[in-house]
Every structure is written in structure tokens, then in C-alpha cells.
Amino acid sequence: MSGVARIARRRLRGDGLTLFGAVSLGCLLFLGIFGPWLPLGDPSRIAAGPRLGAPSAAFLFGTDELGRDFLPRVVQGIRSTFLLSAIAVAITAVIGTLLGMAAGYLGRHTDQIVARGADILFAFPALVAGLLVAAVMGPGQASAITVISIATLPLFIRVVRSVTLGVAGRGFVTAAEVAGASTLRVMVVHLLPNVMGAVMVQLTYALSIGMIIESALSFLGLGVQPPDASLGSLLRQGSAYLTIAPWMVLSSGVVLSLAIMSVNLVGDAARDALEPLKGRPLT
Amino acid sequence: MTAMTAPLVDIADLVIEYDTGTRQVRAIDGAALQVFEDETLAIVGESGSGKTTLGMAAGRLLPPEARVLGGRIHVADVDVSDADDDALRRLRHDKLGFVFQNPTTALDPTMRIGRQVALAMGGRPAPEAIAELLSRAELNEPQRILRAFPHELSGGMAQRVVIAMAIARSPQLLIADEPTASLDASIREKVMATLGRLRAESGASLVILSHDLRMIARHADRVAVMYGGRIVELGAVGQVMQAPAHPYTRALLAAAAGNERPGERLRPIPGTPPILESRCEACAYAPRCAFRETRCETERPEPRAFAGREVVCHRAEAVIAADQSPRQEAR
Amino acid sequence: MEPPVIALEDVTVTYRSGFLGGTGFDALRGVSLSVGAGETVGLVGESGSGKTTLGRVCLGLLRPTTGSMHFAGQPFGNLRQRRGQLSVVLQHPEWALNPRLRCGRSVEEPLVLTGVSAAARRARVDEILEQVGLDPSFAARLPGQLSGGQRQRIAIARALVTHPRFIVFDEAVSALDVSVQAQVLNLIRDLQERHGFGALFISHDIAATRYVSHRIAVMLNGEIVEDGPAGRFYGAPEHPYSRALLAAV
Amino acid sequence: MRLAAYLLPRILAALITLFGVSVLVFLSLRLLPGGYADILLGPFVTPEARAVIAQRYGLDQPLVVQYLRWVWAMLGGDFGVSMVTQRPVIAELLRRAPVTLQLALIALAVALAVGYPLGVISGVRAASRRKRRDFGRVVGAMGASVPDFVLGSVLIFVFSVWSLWFRVGGYVPFGVDPVGNLRTMLLPGLTLSVFGVALILRTTRDAVLRVMTEPHITAAVARGATPGAIIRRHILRNAAIPVVTVVATYFGFLLGGAVIVEVLFSVPGVGLYIFNGLLNRDYAIVQAGVLLAAVVFITINMLADVLYALIDPRVGAAR
């Protein structure tokens, strides 16, 4: 355990980019989780300040068209963007891991069925699927979660399936089969712990995709609905006043990009640790 | 042996360490070796002994986490550790040929064999010349092989292609790292024979890195036994194999299946090979050695000439003496 | 006379490949082979000769397309029925053990599957570790902390822990260094003397195979072309292919 | 022969995928509470209209029959009629398709032209210098993290303040006024390309690094080949293999991203059309649009498989 920590520390020391990602992710998560209890002001209090007021000492991110303080609204947006994506991705990860493991280990018909199912979901471009889902389910958080799942489930299935294929060919799996272990036991005891690393890496990528999809849907008015705020819906709100009150779009846009980037950077580092690529110099 | 001429390869006091990310591992701990013209030298050792590191260092082909900390590597009068990229490239291009362990991965999977061989030959060789080179490496149907992709060849054929590419420019030195380890047993001997014949025809020197003592006994002139990043015994194959002067050589021969008579029991070496983190100030083999005495654990043995070879051992005399009776059939 | 532990009679395995299973490929053709209790049968041949397929058939991982297979005189049945009666040691030491399980857990798994109580398991694991020449403290280690030879010992301990009647060693020493190979080969010989299991020792290395085997079968293109006492392979075996294999020793 | 053996199962799989997609699209709107007639007609339904619709679409038939009729109609070119304009949806979609295609091609061209070379350079540098920190990672991480609507909004803001040369809105067909067309299309195209640049850069960089771990690169170095020759002869082609797959995936993103960018920049393409269809509850448009996007995506992926097989000779060979 201390070995892992030591390697992590060594990695971080020589790598400012990952360090930056980890720190900013930590800060954003802190704001997202503890935001409601921080003394930042009330996100829904109307006329707390001037309408469409520019950023000032009192209102760091300015105010919106109803005179609400924009900073607590952005913090609230961080919370719901993270939360919504995380819930969707967590559900998807569980389902995708189970399906991918089944496909990779059981093979044959199961593999065919799961692979085709993944192909079918994969064939819907995420936002286009979002339009269909919004048509069927109506705009809202449930739609957003569904769209994120449609978009990320095939990724989990494919990655877990291919890792499972590799692990299933190893000696310890064969030895367990020969010893008479049941299929379920092999999957739980021998496969699952060995695909978890890949699942964790995929989880971070899926989270960043989920955040992009959630905010895009909310930006189009198909995701989080007012008076709730997500970073996407704040951007939507701000884009109406883009030319006269650009701080709304800028603040929520920068925070959203930062959030996605820090998740990506941490994911990159996790993947590097799991599967280091060391090419050789050409001289 | 051609001891009078200047050696083709001259390695002295070489020290190489790897940075594994968590610690430094010393792969070569002061190795010295000379390779002369027109000879076949085998470097034997188990995994971790440093033989591959030594072989790759001769062409400065080490992975970037390796550091050369000291010593000298001269190959064909070029100071390999000091040469600039251009000089190094010329050396590799004109004077060195490498044969790797796994031939199918040593060939570009997306390029036809003919084109790869042509690139190795340089210039724009005629198809007949390429086919001729392949036939020299004893590949039948060179025309068909020219058009094939690497994955369409068997391991033995692919290794012959790799050998053909290695000799394409008539190098002075061939370095083969476990050239037959990935091949089926029934064709190993033939591929080795091809390699040996091509070497003899061209008058190049061949360095074979291998763990296979029996194969080496058949194909090498001299053998260098590596242990703990040093060459612990170096001499003519017949001498070393029949009357080893280093206890590790002796133990290795007794442990290898293939030399025993039916019913006879193999004698494994107790303990495990060392993983050095810095210069070893004793004999690295001492903890496993049946002949050790106190000074083996306190004093680093230096190479010395003994019984017609070079040996790194305080107790070589005792080892030779103990070996008067058995083990005459290393073939 | 006691029936052989495993007996294959005229076994053929055909792989279907291609679109809609168009073409078939015989991995094994009319193979008959038996392994008696306390006997090691070596199986040599080059890659693609059908050795590994034959090993998988003997382990019950692959059904013969035609032909019959008996385990100790009984039809083989399925692997659940044979729990604790057969086991396997495979090639790659680094893949032999589940990297996420402590070695003790790996070794005791076959006992868990046969329903042995926890206390009895612990005692048995300690005992078997000692028999393969490892300190019982190895039970608490993770495979990542072990050398290749140590891992292969753990794998052998796991294979032996239920006192199986039949063990397949599939290239079990091929990835090991010369000196470690000798340790493991001796261990296999000693353990067999002690436990009396029947063994199939699959290898491309005829020198190692003849050292541990009583009998050797040589495979070529899915068929057994020679099957005789191991002693013959120190001299001049009959089949030209066997002699070609021996030339490399 | 080899290619056929490789492609045949893939074509079959693509057909199965297509079938699954069509079933999903079909069911998604038919199984809604309230029924399809409500959806088609909106909230203000007269019983007569309902009867007409029910008859016209065979809504009294079993689902399987309805599905088959629906598919049969589409095979005959009937994808339904827009409720608002009462014109065939397919005609409207096809009329707008070139606009979206132009947008996608601009984005794809920029993404490839920038991403691939940068990826190669970054990969080779990362392998040679042992540095984890290099521009490839920075550009890749940033490009993959700024959502297109954020970037688009910022660009709109910037160019609304300083108009420069670009124009937001006021689309003109390329055939009518090429310069005017580019003035409106370049910004949305570039916005759409940023994610692609990052995606292709990262994929290429990884692919290059992976190829550079392979022994045949060491073998080429050992033969004394120059770095330039090694990159040209051995790395570029090998590294292109995963990039092909990713480009196909990126196309799916472009189809979705087109919705956002077209809405943002008021580009009258397919995405905006479908989006407005959704807002107007004109579900025939959504249904046909989604199906069409999926068909295009599946086709692109098929083409990628063919290309893949052409680049990598191992594909389709027996293991």
C-alpha cells in the first residue's frame, strides 16, 4: 500500500499537469460536496444585488438577470453536474462491467448478444440520442441520466470484455476451472478484481463524457430544468445575455471546462500507471 | 585463437544500472570482454545475469532507463558510449547485425518481407538480389516469401528472414540474443546451423546470448559465463564445459537436464541469483557456493588467468581439483 | 489390475472455423493414451502439434468430438464431479496465480471447493507449502512479491493440496531458468513418489521431459507417432521425428 | 478472399445493428403513454383526426405489423411527414444534409490536419525524451475538456465584439457565395474540430508510443536506420491503425455535435432541423433524423473496417 503511495508521489513530483488536475479536482469536489454549507450566499435569493451586475468584490462572479449572486449558483451547478454524471456513470459502470465480463468469459452466444447490444447503443450519436430520449421521456434529469448511460455503456462493455478475454486465458483461471470452480465463482473471485483497474480508468473517462453530455443537454434545455442549476443550464441562462453580461457564460464555462479537464488528467495518470507506454528513442 | 590482432569488441570495467522507478538495479557490475575476428563467442547466463544488457550495450541499444556508469565499449574501433548519433548509426549500419529472440515481432507487421529485406540491404536492390539473399539463409521459395507478410511465416522462416536481414550488409559483428529460444525444438538446430554457416562464409564474428548450455557447446568457439553482472568464466568451449573452473559454471552444468544419465538426479543450485543495487564488494555467487570460504564473502574476486582461461573466483583451483572424476560427457 | 487414472480411446477433436463453420480442422486424430497411478507420461511435440489440446481434453476442459475418455475406469462426467481429483500446473509463472489473492488463498481454493473446514484448510496449506519447500509464511504473501520459481512452487502446492489422482503439467518448467528448472523437476519427482498421482507432463523440451517421465509420447500433427519408455529417449528412439527432437538436446 | 471472409460477418453484424437501432427507434415513440396519434398530432386532437391517423399508420394493427409496415414504407422512401410543413421529412433532411456534411468535413479536415501530425511529433518526442510533460498532453487534455458549446459561446462573444471577418448566422450556400459561406461556416467548423484535434492527437500519440515499444522498431534502430526513415517507414503506417477506428467514432461525435453548433451558430443543417422538430413536438422529424444519423454512423464504421483491413495485413488472417 505504501508502495503505491510512494509511486504516486514520485509520479506527481515530476508531473505538474497531473498534480494540477488532482488539486483542481479536489477543490471542485470539495465545493460540490460542501457547497450548500459554505458561507457563499444563497443561490436562489432574488435581487441579492443589481440585475446583470458585473463581477465585483461583493459578487465575485457577478449577478444574473434576476439579481441572484452568480457564485453560489455556479457552486450549485458544480454539485449537480458532478452528481448527475457520477450517478449515471456509476450505474452504467456496474451494468457494463457485468455485461462485459459475461461477454468476455462466457463467450459464444452471450458474447454475440452483448456485443451486438453494445453496437446498437453505440450507433446512436450521444446528442442525437439525447433528442430522441428527450422526445420520449421529456426533458429532465432522468433523460440526462439515460443519455449518459446510452453513450457510456458500450465503452464499459468493450473495455471490460477485452480485459476479461486477456485475464480469462491466464493460468489461475484455468486452474480454478479444473478445480471445479463455478462460473460465478471464477467471475467474482478471479476476474472481477483483475478487471477493476481498467474499470476505474474507464470510469474517469466516462465521467468526463457524462459531464459533457449532461451540460450539453442542459445547455439545449433538455437536461436540468430551472430553478435547479447545472453548469450547462447556467451557460444556457448566460448565453441569452452573452453580449451584455459575458461573465455568466465565462465563469460557468471556465469552471465546467476545468472540471472536465481535471477528471481527464486524473484519468490519464491512472491509465499511465496501469499501462505504462515506454517507447524507445530512435537513436 | 586470433589473440594477436586487435579485438573487434573490447569491453572493460563496464557498469550499467537500470532505474526501475522504485530503485536502482545494477545489471552489469564491472564486466570485461573481448571478441576477436572470425570467432563465435557465446555468453551464457540465467535471466538477470546481464547477458542481454551486455549484448545490447555493444550497439548502444539499451532502453532509456539504463545508464552506463562507467567502463569502455569499443566496437570496430568506435567508442560506442562516446560516439555521436551519426557515427553510431554508421557503425550499426555498416558493421553490426542483430538477431532478436522473437522473429515475428522483430519484423514490421504491416510491411511485406521483400520490402523489409530491401530496406535492410540498402539502396534499391533488384528482386533477384533479394531472393538470392533469402536463399542464402536457406529459405526455399524465396519468391513466395518476398510477397508474404510476417504473420504468414512460421517462426523458423521468420527467423531466417531476420538472419538474412542481419547479414545483408556483410557486418563484421553479429549479435544474436537467444536466436532459437522461441522456435520449435526440431528446427532450432537447423536455424543455428544456418547462422553458423553464414557467419563462417562472411568471416564475421558472432556473439550468441543464450541460456542453453548444450546448444552453445555445439556452436560456439569460446564461452563467457555471466553471473551477477560479471563474466565469471571465459574460455574455450570444450575446456569450460568439460572442466569448469568456476563453481557457478560447474553447478549450472550439473543442474541442466540433458546431461544426466537415466536415473541420475539433477543437482539444483541452492538459493536464488542476486539482484545488485550497487557494486558487489564480495563474490556475488558466494552465498550459493559449495566452495566458499571467508574471503569469498569479504573480498571481491578479480579476473585472473587460470587453466587456460579467465576466471573470477578465489577458489578456482579447488573447483578444478574437485572435478577430476565425473562429468565427461558435456559432448 | 487397477484401471489407469485417465484413459483416452481413439479421441478426435475437430475445431470448426470459418464463416458458418464451413471448414473443420482436426487438432487431434485418433489419439489413444493412458496414464496409470503413480506414472508420469511425457508428451512432447512442437507448437501446433496438438499437445495442449490433448492436455485440455484430459483436464475435462474440452470435449472430444469422437472417442471415449475414462477417469479411473469411470466415464469422465463433468468437472464438478471430479472436484479435488485432478488439477493443473501451467506455463507462465507470472500468470499462474491470481495477483489479487494472497498465496494461501490461492492454495486453499481447491479445498474450499471440496468443502473442507477452515481449520483443516489452514493446517493442510501449511503442510503442503512445506512439502514444496516453502516456508508457511508464504501463505500471507502476494504473488507479486515472489520469484518465478517460487510462484511455480505455489502453483504446484495448489495442484497437490487435495491429493488429486491426476495432474497435468503444461509446459510447467519451460519459462524457468536452468537452475530453478532443476529444483522444480526434482520437486515433481519427489512429490509423485510421495503422493502417487498420475501425471501428464507436456513440454517441448525433451530433455526435461525424459527426466521426469516414465513414458514418453511424441505428437506430430495431431497424432501420437511414438509412445515408449523414457529410457528409449536417452538412446535412439524409433520415429525419425523423435530423433530430430533429440538432436537439439 | 481474405477480405471477404473478414467483411462478410461484419456486414452481417452491421445489418443486425441496423435492425436493433430501427426497433429501438420504432418502439421508443410507439410505446409512449397517450399513443402515437397524440404524439403525431400534438395535444389538440379531434377524434376525426385521430381516426384518420390511426388508419393511415395502421395503429390498430399488432406492433410487429406496424413495424414491418414502417420499415417497408421507409424502404420505399417514406419517412413520414412533418406536422408543421406537411412536407415529407426525408426531403427536408436531405436538403439540409449538405450543410451538416460541410460542417463535419471542415471539422474532420482540421482535426486530422492538426491532430495527426502533432500526435506523431508528440509521441516520438515523448518516447525519446522520457518526459511525461510535453505539449501533446497539454493540448490533448485541454482540447478534450472544453465543451463545444462553451468554446462556441466564447467565440460568438469575441466575434460579436470584434466582428473581424467572420459572421455568426446568415448562412449562404457555398454555390451561391463561396466567401460568404465560409464566413459563416468556418467558426462553427473550427468549434466542432477542437475536440477532434484533441481526440486524434491523443490517439495518435498513444499509438506512436505503443508502436515504439515494439521490437521491430528496436530492430530498425539496430540496422542503423535514421529516425526520419523509421518514422516514415515503420511508425506512420502502424500508428494509423487505431486512428482509423477513432476517426469513425469521431464522426458519430460530429453528428451529435452538429446539433449544438448548428443551434449555437444558427446554421440551417440537419441538427438544427431535428432540434426544432423536437421543440415543435414534430416527432416524425426526430424519429427520421435519429434513424438517419445512426445509419450514417453504422455505414461510416463499416467503411472504417474496410480501411482498417487495407492498412493492417493481419486483419482477417487466421490466428
Side-chain angles (χ1 to χ4, degrees):
Chain A
M1 208 44 232
S2 66
V4 176
R6 197 169 64 229
I7 292 169
R9 214 173 312 132
R10 277 181 69 104
R11 281 185 171 285
L12 286 180
R13 198 176 302 143
D15 183 17
L17 205 55
T18 303
L19 188 66
F20 169 74
V23 169
S24 87
L25 183 62
C27 294
L28 289 169
L29 283 178
F30 177 82
L31 283 176
I33 293 168
F34 298 106
W37 297 280
L38 294 177
L40 296 169
D42 183 351
S44 47
R45 196 176 138 220
I46 292 172
R51 291 187 174 195
L52 297 176
S56 61
F59 304 102
L60 279 177
F61 284 7
T63 56
D64 70 4
E65 74 277 16
L66 297 176
R68 290 176 291 195
D69 184 357
F70 210 65
L71 175 62
R73 287 187 68 72
V74 167
V75 171
Q76 194 189 26
I78 296 173
R79 182 182 175 83
S80 52
T81 293
F82 264 115
L83 199 65
L84 208 59
S85 319
I87 290 172
V89 169
I91 298 170
T92 313
V94 172
I95 301 171
T97 305
L98 289 178
L99 288 176
M101 259 167 48
Y105 183 58
L106 301 177
R108 294 178 147 265
H109 302 301
T110 318
D111 192 15
Q112 283 297 317
I113 292 168
V114 173
R116 287 293 84 74
D119 281 356
I120 290 169
L121 290 186
F122 192 65
F124 290 100
L127 280 181
V128 179
L131 299 181
L132 184 65
V133 171
V136 174
M137 301 174 64
Q141 307 200 341
S143 291
I145 289 178
T146 309
V147 178
I148 295 172
S149 297
I150 291 176
T152 54
L153 187 61
L155 304 180
F156 278 106
I157 291 178
R158 286 176 179 193
V159 168
V160 173
R161 176 181 174 275
S162 79
V163 175
T164 303
L165 275 176
V167 177
R170 295 187 179 175
F172 61 87
V173 175
T174 309
E177 288 166 351
V178 170
S182 65
T183 302
L184 187 66
R185 185 184 166 88
V186 170
M187 293 195 9
V188 172
V189 175
H190 296 296
L191 297 179
L192 186 60
N194 288 295
V195 302
M196 277 316 283
V199 171
M200 297 313 284
V201 171
Q202 208 55 32
L203 209 62
T204 59
Y205 287 132
L207 186 62
S208 89
I209 294 173
M211 289 163 73
I212 293 180
I213 293 175
E214 184 282 321
S215 49
L217 287 177
S218 298
F219 179 75
L220 290 174
L222 306 175
V224 171
Q225 301 293 308
D228 289 339
S230 86
L231 291 172
S233 71
L234 291 176
L235 268 154
R236 174 183 174 77
Q237 184 191 354
S239 65
Y241 305 97
L242 184 59
T243 43
I244 43 176
W247 49 89
M248 285 159 74
V249 161
L250 284 179
S251 58
S252 45
V254 166
V255 170
L256 175 61
S257 306
L258 193 67
I260 296 169
M261 185 155 84
S262 46
V263 170
N264 273 333
L265 286 172
V266 171
D268 283 352
R271 202 208 44 182
D272 279 359
L274 194 72
E275 185 199 8
L277 284 177
K278 285 186 178 170
R280 65 156 304 117
L282 296 180
T283 51
Chain B
M1 216 56 42
T2 49
M4 289 301 109
T5 53
L8 182 62
V9 178
D10 189 2
I11 295 175
D13 301 324
L14 189 63
V15 177
I16 297 178
E17 288 191 356
Y18 285 90
D19 183 358
T20 66
T22 46
R23 60 177 179 172
Q24 297 286 117
V25 172
R26 182 169 278 226
I28 302 288
D29 184 30
L33 177 70
Q34 295 185 327
V35 182
F36 300 98
E37 275 168 28
D38 202 12
E39 74 161 339
T40 300
L41 171 81
I43 303 180
V44 286
E46 299 182 277
S47 49
S49 64
K51 60 180 189 299
T52 299
T53 304
L54 191 62
M56 293 299 112
R60 207 163 92 192
L61 286 170
L62 294 168
E65 54 273 14
R67 291 261 172 289
V68 177
L69 297 183
R72 183 176 59 143
I73 314 170
H74 283 232
V75 176
D77 299 322
V78 176
D79 184 344
V80 171
S81 30
D82 201 38
D84 61 29
D85 286 354
D86 240 14
L88 196 63
R89 204 142 43 225
R90 271 200 308 281
L91 173 73
R92 290 170 182 161
H93 190 271
D94 302 333
K95 295 181 177 160
L96 295 183
F98 281 85
V99 177
F100 296 94
Q101 175 167 3
N102 190 338
T104 39
T105 59
L107 295 168
D108 186 338
T110 60
M111 198 185 279
R112 289 183 199 275
I113 297 296
R115 180 153 157 70
Q116 301 198 43
V117 177
L119 286 176
M121 294 169 78
R124 290 184 174 277
E128 298 78 45
I130 305 174
E132 146 75 20
L133 180 64
L134 291 179
S135 334
R136 274 179 65 205
E138 288 163 45
L139 281 159
N140 303 322
E141 303 183 82
Q143 294 302 338
R144 190 179 66 80
I145 290 169
L146 281 180
R147 287 189 302 273
F149 285 103
H151 71 270
E152 294 166 339
L153 302 184
S154 71
M157 284 152 82
Q159 192 63 302
R160 287 175 190 280
V161 170
V162 171
I163 291 172
M165 288 166 73
I167 60 154
R169 276 193 277 256
S170 314
Q172 294 178 11
L173 176 65
L174 280 165
I175 297 177
D177 186 2
E178 302 273 13
T180 60
S182 68
L183 305 181
D184 282 320
S186 60
I187 55 166
R188 281 183 189 173
E189 213 32 37
K190 293 176 196 147
V191 171
M192 265 322 290
T194 307
L195 186 55
R197 184 179 57 77
L198 289 171
R199 182 213 68 78
E201 281 174 14
S202 66
S205 296
L206 171 63
V207 174
I208 311 173
L209 316 173
S210 178
H211 68 277
D212 188 341
L213 295 163
R214 284 161 276 144
M215 190 266 279
I216 277 167
R218 283 190 293 271
H219 295 281
D221 305 321
R222 288 196 304 149
V223 60
V225 181
M226 282 200 82
Y227 188 84
R230 300 181 79 183
I231 287 168
V232 294
E233 183 166 3
L234 173 64
V237 163
Q239 275 184 323
V240 173
M241 293 287 195
Q242 273 162 34
H246 195 283
Y248 174 66
T249 316
R250 179 183 145 91
L252 205 55
L253 286 165
N259 295 335
E260 84 286 358
R261 296 188 190 86
E264 197 183 5
R265 205 173 154 81
L266 300 178
R267 284 171 292 163
I269 310 176
T272 49
I275 297 170
L276 300 179
E277 299 195 340
S278 59
R279 179 179 155 94
C280 185
E281 296 298 349
C283 171
Y285 185 64
R288 310 173 73 185
C289 183
F291 294 86
R292 73 165 174 271
E293 52 185 34
T294 19
R295 89 179 142 131
C296 299
E297 285 156 8
T298 55
E299 191 184 320
R300 180 180 163 106
E302 290 307 326
R304 62 191 169 107
F306 173 70
R309 67 199 92 173
E310 207 168 86
V311 63
V312 178
C313 178
H314 297 306
R315 305 273 292 135
E317 290 80 0
V319 178
I320 286 272
D323 225 1
Q324 293 308 7
S325 41
R327 203 138 302 285
Q328 286 302 310
E329 47 121 43
R331 225 197 295 194
Chain C
M1 201 194 119
E2 206 186 327
V5 193
I6 201 134
L8 304 182
E9 196 114 5
D10 202 20
V11 163
T12 297
V13 171
T14 306
Y15 287 123
R16 297 243 155 248
S17 67
F19 196 50
L20 302 174
T23 48
F25 159 73
D26 288 341
L28 294 180
R29 264 180 302 192
V31 169
S32 297
L33 184 74
S34 67
V35 180
E39 181 187 35
T40 299
V41 174
L43 188 63
V44 294
E46 58 196 50
S47 51
S49 62
K51 298 189 306 257
T52 297
T53 303
L54 185 52
R56 290 181 66 82
V57 169
C58 290
L59 287 168
L61 293 169
L62 194 66
R63 296 255 153 216
T65 313
T66 63
S68 70
M69 172 159 83
H70 285 81
F71 191 90
Q74 308 283 319
F76 187 85
N78 66 42
L79 275 171
R80 303 279 178 81
Q81 289 168 266
R82 299 287 165 207
R83 271 180 180 163
Q85 297 183 359
L86 71 169
S87 55
V88 64
V89 180
L90 292 149
Q91 178 171 18
H92 299 284
E94 72 268 37
W95 292 356
L97 305 173
N98 186 339
R100 307 276 162 182
L101 289 187
R102 302 206 175 269
C103 293
R105 290 278 313 281
S106 283
V107 173
E108 73 171 354
E109 183 172 33
L111 294 174
V112 175
L113 294 169
T114 48
V116 177
S117 74
R121 289 203 304 258
R122 210 164 309 130
R124 179 78 187 120
V125 168
D126 285 359
E127 184 191 358
I128 198 75
L129 283 179
E130 207 154 306
Q131 284 184 23
V132 299
L134 293 174
D135 190 85
S137 66
F138 273 86
R141 296 214 205 165
L142 284 170
Q145 304 163 311
L146 270 52
S147 73
Q150 288 168 336
R151 282 184 217 184
Q152 216 58 336
R153 281 170 193 264
I154 297 276
I156 291 172
R158 176 182 58 195
L160 273 169
V161 75
T162 54
H163 294 295
R165 302 172 71 173
F166 177 60
I167 304 181
V168 171
F169 296 90
D170 191 351
E171 303 280 6
V173 299
S174 305
L176 302 176
D177 269 321
V178 173
S179 61
V180 187
Q181 207 175 60
Q183 292 170 2
V184 174
L185 288 174
N186 282 346
L187 181 67
I188 293 173
R189 278 198 358 186
D190 297 348
L191 289 169
Q192 185 179 47
E193 242 162 61
R194 183 165 181 167
H195 294 277
F197 53 79
L200 184 68
F201 189 91
I202 303 173
S203 176
H204 65 270
D205 181 354
I206 199 162
T209 308
R210 71 183 181 188
Y211 177 69
V212 286
S213 303
H214 302 97
R215 238 173 62 218
I216 290 181
V218 181
M219 285 204 85
L220 183 62
N221 298 330
E223 290 177 65
I224 291 183
V225 295
E226 178 157 12
D227 183 351
R232 193 194 290 169
F233 289 81
Y234 282 93
E238 281 167 14
H239 197 274
Y241 178 69
S242 310
R243 287 202 288 274
L245 285 178
L246 216 50
V249 173
Chain D
M1 182 53 215
R2 173 179 75 86
L3 211 60
Y6 163 77
L7 282 179
L8 219 57
R10 263 146 224 277
I11 293 173
L12 199 69
L15 288 177
I16 294 172
T17 309
L18 203 56
F19 168 72
V21 165
S22 69
V23 169
L24 272 186
V25 172
F26 172 78
L27 288 181
S28 62
L29 287 179
R30 304 276 156 144
L31 287 184
L32 280 181
Y36 192 55
D38 283 359
I39 292 170
L40 284 179
L41 294 175
F44 315 106
V45 205
T46 64
E48 296 78 44
R50 184 185 287 272
V52 169
I53 289 292
Q55 211 200 351
R56 181 152 134 214
Y57 288 91
L59 297 182
D60 40 355
Q61 306 278 332
L63 271 181
V64 177
V65 177
Q66 288 186 40
Y67 171 76
L68 291 176
R69 284 177 151 209
W70 179 65
V71 171
W72 185 248
M74 285 191 298
L75 289 176
D78 175 12
F79 282 71
V81 171
S82 160
M83 196 185 71
V84 179
T85 61
Q86 292 300 321
R87 293 175 58 181
V89 170
I90 188 70
E92 295 282 312
L93 282 170
L94 289 180
R95 198 163 61 81
R96 289 168 167 81
V99 182
T100 303
L101 187 67
Q102 189 196 356
L103 213 52
L105 287 181
I106 292 175
L108 189 63
V110 173
L112 274 176
V114 179
Y116 191 64
L118 283 186
V120 171
I121 297 169
S122 163
V124 172
R125 273 169 51 117
S128 305
R129 298 204 183 164
R130 306 278 94 199
K131 272 198 177 162
R132 294 171 39 75
R133 218 175 325 162
D134 75 327
F135 73 92
R137 283 185 74 216
V138 180
V139 175
M142 279 174 35
S145 305
V146 181
D148 36 25
F149 52 94
V150 174
L151 184 68
S153 300
V154 172
L155 287 180
I156 289 177
F157 171 67
V158 169
F159 290 103
S160 63
V161 178
W162 302 280
S163 160
L164 300 181
W165 179 72
F166 294 106
R167 221 165 48 201
V168 175
Y171 170 80
V172 218
F174 190 78
V176 176
D177 174 10
V179 178
N181 171 280
L182 286 181
R183 283 177 72 181
T184 57
M185 293 295 271
L186 272 183
L187 270 191
L190 287 176
T191 304
L192 211 46
S193 75
V194 168
F195 183 80
V197 169
L199 185 70
I200 290 171
L201 190 159
R202 286 156 67 108
T203 309
T204 311
R205 180 176 187 271
D206 282 1
V208 167
L209 273 171
R210 201 178 301 270
V211 173
M212 287 174 78
T213 63
E214 287 173 12
H216 70 86
I217 298 298
T218 306
V221 175
R223 279 195 297 274
T226 59
I230 296 174
I231 292 171
R232 240 177 318 116
R233 287 170 183 150
H234 300 296
I235 293 179
L236 285 184
R237 189 183 175 104
N238 279 288
I241 293 168
V243 176
V244 168
T245 312
V246 151
V247 166
T249 311
Y250 176 53
F251 218 90
F253 167 86
L254 285 177
L255 292 171
V259 177
I260 287 247
V261 170
E262 288 175 11
V263 169
L264 201 59
F265 288 89
S266 313
V267 176
V270 175
L272 184 61
Y273 182 60
I274 305 176
F275 182 68
N276 284 333
L278 175 68
L279 294 187
N280 298 329
R281 302 177 70 83
D282 198 347
Y283 291 119
I285 295 175
V286 178
Q287 197 176 28
V290 171
L291 199 61
L292 216 62
V295 169
V296 170
F297 188 50
I298 292 170
T299 313
I300 299 270
N301 270 290
M302 281 274 310
L303 293 178
D305 277 342
V306 176
L307 197 57
Y308 192 105
L310 292 178
I311 296 181
D312 187 348
R314 286 164 297 187
V315 161
R319 270 164 297 136

